[in-house]
């Protein structure tokens, strides 16, 4: 369980996160939604120790984030950001191998190779494992990065807009993989996501943010609600029930 | 396989050039004299070559940018400023300028103090913004250059010649005592660094991936800046400013070896560096008859390659 307690983040005088508290439960997909500038990505970056917070506490499995050993934490929580531009030329398999660094420090063992193979198979990358990343399509590249995170084999996976720049086919593919990671392997996943319909169809728990505050959180039926979404996005919403899924129509 | 072959080829070329440099034109009557000149010189070429290749490689990893060189830290500008200041204030006959050992220690000491202060002052744990740190180094470097030019303008032309001597890298009068110290320092640094090569591989993925994979980013960057500063200071104080060579050799090694691993790029770029320096020195000594300093030749080739790199990155 990841507990976020009274987290405050300021850039100069501007408060980006204002006393945010919530919990990321084990074995669930938790989605963070909200308009641009709501503080979703900032919150995720703070939990994944990429940026410092002004005050508050992050507690991962009962231990304060600051007290975790960096290497142990890398075996517990993995993160993927929205832009994954690399300055080096890398093959798919080499990238995925980096996921084993917290365990092997770069000297891959048989066990490491096993995890790498497993991740490559899981994301259907076996055929292209020797291709360079810059030769791949956006969807393949995103899958390669997710494979790296999977090889890292952490209980918690934090993803910042994993569907960024992907078409609907690849978006669905990625979300199904994430769902499988949670249902089959018992992982815990937190994502920042812009498409509320994807959030509605694939998450267990949704946290809605606006202006650095949590407006509401809960299950699908509670959050995917016309009044609440209307309040967050300042738009008219209508919600349709299709095949037991709640879809938002806002066009 | 291709990688091994390339490295093997480079190693053979480097060795051949070194042997050629040492033994070309030796005869029974002159070998004693020539060897006493050539052996220190070739050692200086090798140790500087390795230092420059290594410092540039590390610098490119820590900035995550393959068209930068450690000269951005402002260390070579500081070196010329120190030399100019010494001549300006104490005169060209002062002990600090004439005694190479004193000059070496003062220069290295000041350069290390400068980069440590710069890093401590600007690279805060909270923000970890390497670009801000570099920008400040760049501005200070320009400031040093302006100060230097200012003093050189006011200087007696005869005195200026002594400064000019130090402004370009030269292997023509290598001091053996300093050479020994430099070899020890640089070898020790490389031995110390070997265990970090894998860690630096991870760092070349960028800050966020490195942190995700459990790297202590701040500590690692601090170590790297320190290693780069020592390498640049020692090699600059040994032969003069020559950081441009690094850009050339590290990128050539990347092109040749097609790898991201520090282990291979380090060996490759060090060998290319030795080939370039020993070959360049051969060219200057035996063919151009000492007509130009080696850094002029290297900066010319380096400059052309740099333009090519920029144009290529622009197209891609």
């Amino acid at each position: 369980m990841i507990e976020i307690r009274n987290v405050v983040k300021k850039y100069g005088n501007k408060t980006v996160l204002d006393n945010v508290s919530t919990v990321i439960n084990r074995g669930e997909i938790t989605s963070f939604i909200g308009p641009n500038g709501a503080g979703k990505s900032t919150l995720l970056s703070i939990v994944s120790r990429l940026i410092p917070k002004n005050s508050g506490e992050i507690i991962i499995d009962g231990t304060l984030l600051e007290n975790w050993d960096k290497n142990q934490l890398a075996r517990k929580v993995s993160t993927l950001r929205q832009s994954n531009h690399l300055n080096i030329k890398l093959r798919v398999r080499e990238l995925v191998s980096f996921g084993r660094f917290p365990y092997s420090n770069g000297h891959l063992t048989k066990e490491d190779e096993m995890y790498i193979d497993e991740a490559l198979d899981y994301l259907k990358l076996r055929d292209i494992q020797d291709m360079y990343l810059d030769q791949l399509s956006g969807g393949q590249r995103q899958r390669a990065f997710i494979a790296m995170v999977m090889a890292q084999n952490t209980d918690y996976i934090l993803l910042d807009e994993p569907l960024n720049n992907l078409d609907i086919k690849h978006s669905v593919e990625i979300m199904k993989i994430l769902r499988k990671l949670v249902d089959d392997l018992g992982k815990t996943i937190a994502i920042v996501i812009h498409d509320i319909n994807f959030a509605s169809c694939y998450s267990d728990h949704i946290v809605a943010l606006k202006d650095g505050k949590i407006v509401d959180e809960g299950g699908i039926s509670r959050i995917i609600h016309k009044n609440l979404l209307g309040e967050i996005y300042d738009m008219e919403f209508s919600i349709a029930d299709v095949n037991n899924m709640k879809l938002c129509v806002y066009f | 396989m291709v990688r091994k072959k390339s490295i093997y080829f480079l190693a053979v070329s480097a060795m051949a050039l070194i042997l050629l440099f040492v033994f070309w034109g030796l005869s029974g009557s002159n070998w004693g004299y020539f060897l006493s000149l050539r052996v220190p010189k070739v050692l200086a070429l090798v140790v500087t070559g390795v230092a420059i290749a290594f410092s540039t490689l590390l610098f490119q990893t820590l900035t995550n940018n393959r068209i930068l060189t450690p000269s951005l830290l402002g260390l070579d500008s500081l070196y010329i400023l120190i030399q100019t200041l010494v001549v300006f204030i104490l005169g060209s006959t002062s002990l600090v300028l004439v005694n190479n050992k004193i000059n070496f220690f003062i220069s290295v000491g000041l350069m290390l103090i400068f980069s440590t202060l710069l890093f401590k002052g600007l690279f805060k744990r909270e923000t970890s913004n390497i670009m801000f740190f570099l920008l400040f180094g760049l501005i200070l470097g320009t400031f040093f250059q302006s100060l230097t030019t200012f003093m050189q303008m006011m200087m007696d032309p005869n005195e200026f010649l002594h400064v000019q001597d130090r402004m370009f890298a030269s292997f023509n009068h290598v001091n053996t005592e300093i050479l020994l110290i430099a070899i020890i320092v640089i070898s020790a640094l490389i031995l110390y660094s070997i265990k970090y090569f894998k860690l630096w591989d991870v760092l070349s993925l960028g800050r966020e991936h490195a942190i995700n994979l459990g790297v202590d980013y701040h500590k690692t960057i601090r170590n790297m800046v320190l290693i780069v500063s020592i390498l640049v200071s020692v090699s600059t104080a040994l032969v003069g400013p020559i950081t441009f060579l690094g850009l050339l050799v590290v990128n050539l090694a990347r092109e040749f070896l097609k790898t991201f691993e520090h282990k291979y790029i380090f060996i490759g770029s060090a060998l290319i560096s030795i080939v370039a320096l020993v070959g360049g020195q051969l060219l200057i000594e035996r063919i151009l008859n000492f007509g130009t300093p080696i850094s002029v030749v290297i900066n010319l080739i380096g400059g052309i390659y740099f333009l090519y790199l920029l144009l290529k990155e622009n197209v891609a």
Side-chain angles (χ1 to χ4, degrees):
Chain A
M1 193 168 71
I2 299 180
E3 294 164 72
I4 298 163
R5 285 191 196 157
N6 309 321
V7 167
V8 177
K9 174 73 191 173
K10 289 178 185 167
Y11 287 117
N13 289 325
K14 193 179 180 316
T15 306
V16 194
L17 287 175
D18 189 3
N19 223 4
V20 170
S21 301
T22 183
V23 163
I24 298 169
N25 281 316
R26 264 181 171 271
E28 288 185 350
I29 292 185
T30 303
S31 296
F32 290 84
I33 63 166
N36 289 331
K40 312 173 296 278
S41 294
T42 309
L43 184 60
L44 210 69
S45 298
I46 288 173
V47 176
S48 50
R49 71 211 180 277
L50 295 179
I51 55 174
K53 56 189 181 308
N54 291 76
S55 64
E57 291 173 339
I58 309 287
I59 300 163
I60 297 171
D61 283 352
T63 307
L64 269 176
L65 183 63
E66 292 78 17
N67 297 343
W68 272 91
D69 172 73
K70 288 192 167 59
N71 183 267
Q72 290 299 321
L73 192 60
R75 303 179 190 195
K76 196 71 170 171
V77 184
S78 54
T79 319
L80 202 55
R81 297 264 287 171
Q82 33 185 315
S83 70
N84 285 305
H85 176 72
L86 293 183
N87 282 310
I88 51 173
K89 224 170 143 62
L90 218 55
R91 292 172 203 277
V92 174
R93 194 183 174 88
E94 291 168 338
L95 177 75
V96 178
S97 307
F98 272 117
R100 297 305 297 170
F101 184 78
Y103 301 87
S104 63
N105 283 315
H107 304 281
L108 297 177
T109 61
K110 277 237 162 60
E111 194 196 346
D112 293 322
E113 300 283 354
M114 210 183 70
Y115 276 105
I116 295 163
D117 287 336
E118 198 182 293
L120 286 169
D121 286 339
Y122 210 82
L123 288 143
K124 304 191 196 80
L125 293 165
R126 221 9 130 78
D127 300 336
I128 53 169
Q129 62 170 341
D130 289 323
M131 279 174 74
Y132 284 104
L133 282 176
D134 50 8
Q135 299 170 329
L136 305 182
S137 71
Q140 289 171 324
R141 194 174 323 166
Q142 189 69 339
R143 283 200 332 249
F145 278 102
I146 292 178
M148 171 173 104
V149 166
M150 206 191 137
Q152 205 177 333
N153 192 30
T154 55
D155 293 343
Y156 300 97
I157 301 173
L158 312 175
L159 303 168
D160 192 350
E161 294 187 36
L163 309 182
N164 207 9
N165 292 326
L166 295 186
D167 62 22
I168 38 176
K169 175 171 180 275
H170 288 107
S171 299
V172 170
E173 202 175 272
I174 298 279
M175 289 312 286
K176 283 195 168 143
I177 289 165
L178 296 185
R179 197 65 251 179
K180 257 170 62 184
L181 284 173
V182 171
D183 294 340
D184 300 349
L185 303 178
K187 305 282 184 199
T188 304
I189 295 180
I191 51 177
V192 167
I193 193 160
H194 268 298
D195 191 321
I196 32 181
N197 284 332
F198 273 108
S200 161
C201 295
Y202 290 98
S203 0
D204 301 296
H205 190 86
I206 300 181
V207 181
L209 288 112
K210 187 185 185 183
D211 298 333
K213 290 189 174 120
I214 293 182
V215 181
D216 201 359
E217 59 175 305
I220 310 295
S221 50
R222 182 183 168 106
I223 302 299
I224 306 300
H225 189 279
K226 144 181 167 154
N227 295 345
L228 182 73
L229 289 177
E231 184 198 330
I232 296 169
Y233 287 99
D234 290 325
M235 276 171 71
E236 286 288 316
F237 275 85
S238 47
I239 313 287
D241 274 296
V242 181
N243 300 339
N244 285 331
M245 289 183 281
K246 281 176 171 288
L247 297 181
C248 308
V249 182
Y250 45 82
F251 300 102
Chain B
M1 245 2 257
V2 180
R3 198 176 294 156
K4 282 235 167 74
K5 252 186 196 158
S6 310
I7 288 180
Y8 186 66
F9 170 73
L10 286 173
V12 171
S13 325
M15 208 57 227
L17 278 170
I18 290 172
L19 292 178
L20 191 65
F21 187 88
V22 175
F23 294 108
W24 186 3
L26 283 191
S27 68
S29 55
N30 65 12
W31 64 270
Y33 173 69
F34 271 135
L35 280 189
S36 73
L37 278 184
R38 288 177 181 179
V39 170
K41 202 184 268 185
V42 89
L43 281 175
L45 288 163
V46 169
V47 78
T48 340
V50 172
I52 290 164
F54 191 29
S55 59
T56 309
L57 172 62
L58 271 190
F59 193 74
Q60 293 188 345
T61 300
L62 80 93
T63 53
N64 236 306
N65 190 325
R66 51 175 281 192
I67 54 172
L68 297 184
T69 77
S71 61
L72 271 188
L73 289 174
L75 287 176
D76 23 10
S77 316
L78 179 63
Y79 173 76
I80 297 178
L81 175 68
I82 296 169
Q83 303 305 323
T84 314
L85 256 180
V86 167
V87 176
F88 190 72
I89 296 171
L90 302 173
S92 59
T93 48
S94 78
L95 195 64
V96 182
L97 191 78
V98 177
N99 185 321
N100 282 313
K101 219 163 155 187
I102 297 178
N103 191 306
F104 177 82
F105 281 115
I106 289 180
S107 306
V108 170
L110 284 177
M111 285 190 270
L112 286 183
I113 291 171
F114 167 73
S115 59
T116 315
L117 285 181
L118 188 64
F119 187 78
K120 278 243 156 99
L122 291 170
F123 195 70
K124 299 271 187 274
R125 182 171 279 279
E126 300 82 57
T127 47
S128 306
N129 191 345
I130 193 87
M131 285 307 153
F132 186 60
F133 165 64
L134 291 182
L135 189 64
F136 218 83
L138 187 70
I139 291 170
L140 280 179
T142 318
F143 172 66
F144 294 153
Q145 273 168 18
S146 314
L147 268 185
T148 309
T149 320
F150 173 70
M151 280 188 283
Q152 286 172 351
M153 294 289 197
M154 313 213 316
M155 208 177 268
D156 181 85
N158 291 322
E159 301 271 276
F160 174 66
L161 279 180
H162 291 275
V163 181
Q164 204 186 23
D165 248 7
R166 303 242 169 203
M167 279 168 61
F168 296 101
S170 165
F171 295 90
N172 294 332
H173 32 68
V174 177
N175 183 299
T176 30
E177 277 175 79
I178 301 173
L179 180 63
L180 192 68
I181 301 169
I183 291 175
I184 292 170
V185 170
I186 289 171
S187 320
L189 262 185
I190 290 169
L191 283 179
Y192 166 80
S193 301
I194 286 173
K195 62 173 189 274
Y196 292 110
F197 278 9
K198 292 280 179 188
L199 186 71
W200 294 334
D201 288 345
V202 177
L203 215 67
S204 52
L205 292 176
R207 173 175 177 268
E208 284 160 3
H209 286 297
I211 292 176
N212 170 45
L213 293 170
V215 173
D216 188 339
Y217 184 74
H218 189 87
K219 199 177 130 199
T220 312
I221 292 287
R222 192 189 59 202
N223 272 348
M224 290 170 90
V225 170
L226 195 65
I227 295 175
V228 170
S229 307
I230 298 176
L231 287 170
V232 173
S233 307
V234 170
S235 64
T236 307
L238 182 65
V239 297
I242 194 169
T243 42
F244 211 94
L245 177 71
L247 180 70
L248 188 71
V249 296
V250 172
N251 278 303
L252 278 176
R254 283 187 214 274
E255 298 281 319
F256 268 159
L257 303 176
K258 301 215 180 309
T259 176
F260 63 92
E261 286 181 66
H262 282 78
K263 187 169 62 180
Y264 295 116
I265 304 179
F266 167 60
I267 297 173
S269 55
L271 288 173
I272 296 176
S273 197
I274 293 170
V275 169
L277 282 180
V278 178
Q281 189 69 19
L282 260 177
L283 188 78
I284 281 156
E285 280 189 14
R286 318 284 159 88
I287 295 164
L288 300 175
N289 290 320
F290 295 98
T292 41
I294 186 166
S295 61
V296 172
V297 176
I298 282 166
N299 282 354
L300 178 71
I301 301 171
I304 293 169
Y305 183 69
F306 189 72
L307 279 178
Y308 163 75
L309 259 187
L310 282 179
L311 291 174
K312 205 180 101 185
E313 301 250 325
N314 201 17
V315 171

